[in-house]
Amino acid sequence: MPGKMSPSDFARASFRPERPVSFCPTSDTGWVSDCSKDVSIHDDPTFSETKAAIENMFAHKRDQFDSFKTVLGAETALVKKSFIITAVGLAGVFILACFCWLIVGAAIGIGLDRAGTPLWGTTLILLAINGVGIAVCTKAVKESYRHVSFMPILQALTGHAGKSQKE
């Protein structure tokens, strides 16, 4: 069988003195020196190759660290801007809502007074309307709180920024 070699092939092997002696199975020619040798690039590396590989590894690690630092800086800047925009937006909305709600509340109160509702009735109706408004706003805040997350910061710190949870 030309594809398979058995240990008995070593008994039939011969060698040429002018070439290095090899103890591999004989080739089709019958000469040991004609056998093919599987050589890998990882066999017997020189010192300069090893040094170049180590320098290359450190260069890649330095590039990886620089990339990580850039991503972390970008994520941090994004979070800062997000906090500032959110704070300014919330303050503006709060002020606008307070003034609008004061105007709406005053209009409802004046309308109830002109309709002949007693003062205690107007007060109770306005308290009920405000209570429902507070309940609706509280529910909205609790519902939106689920979507607030510090995961982008944690992902940037662990080196997984930009990756979805499913990956």
Side-chain angles (χ1 to χ4, degrees):
M1 290 184 162
K4 289 197 162 214
M5 296 196 182
S6 65
S8 62
D9 290 337
F10 287 109
R12 295 180 309 159
S14 57
F15 66 96
R16 295 181 183 159
E18 67 273 3
R19 294 189 182 170
V21 177
S22 173
F23 295 106
C24 62
T26 56
S27 65
D28 292 338
T29 63
W31 292 96
V32 173
S33 60
D34 289 339
C35 68
S36 63
K37 207 170 140 182
D38 292 331
V39 179
S40 170
I41 60 169
H42 301 293
D43 292 344
D44 299 329
T46 63
F47 178 75
S48 60
E49 291 172 338
T50 304
K51 181 182 172 192
I54 291 172
E55 288 173 349
N56 192 23
M57 178 192 68
F58 280 118
H60 285 297
K61 284 295 179 184
R62 186 174 51 248
D63 292 342
Q64 183 183 13
F65 179 74
D66 289 342
S67 297
F68 173 72
K69 191 169 58 170
T70 302
V71 169
L72 187 62
E75 288 283 337
T76 305
L78 183 64
V79 168
K80 282 190 231 176
K81 289 177 184 177
S82 175
F83 278 139
I84 291 170
I85 289 170
T86 301
V88 169
L90 283 175
V93 167
F94 179 74
I95 291 170
L96 182 64
C98 284
F99 282 121
C100 288
W101 190 248
L102 284 174
I103 292 170
V104 169
I108 292 172
I110 291 170
L112 289 172
D113 184 54
R114 292 211 175 151
T117 310
L119 184 57
W120 60 270
T122 303
T123 304
L124 288 177
I125 291 172
L126 286 175
L127 282 175
I129 290 173
N130 284 324
V132 169
I134 289 172
V136 168
C137 289
T138 303
K139 183 179 179 189
V141 168
K142 284 183 178 181
E143 193 67 28
S144 64
Y145 183 74
R146 292 185 304 131
H147 302 290
V148 176
S149 172
F150 287 107
M151 285 309 293
I153 296 172
L154 295 176
Q155 287 175 342
L157 289 174
T158 58
H160 299 297
K163 295 181 182 176
S164 69
Q165 296 292 334
K166 294 178 182 177
E167 290 180 4

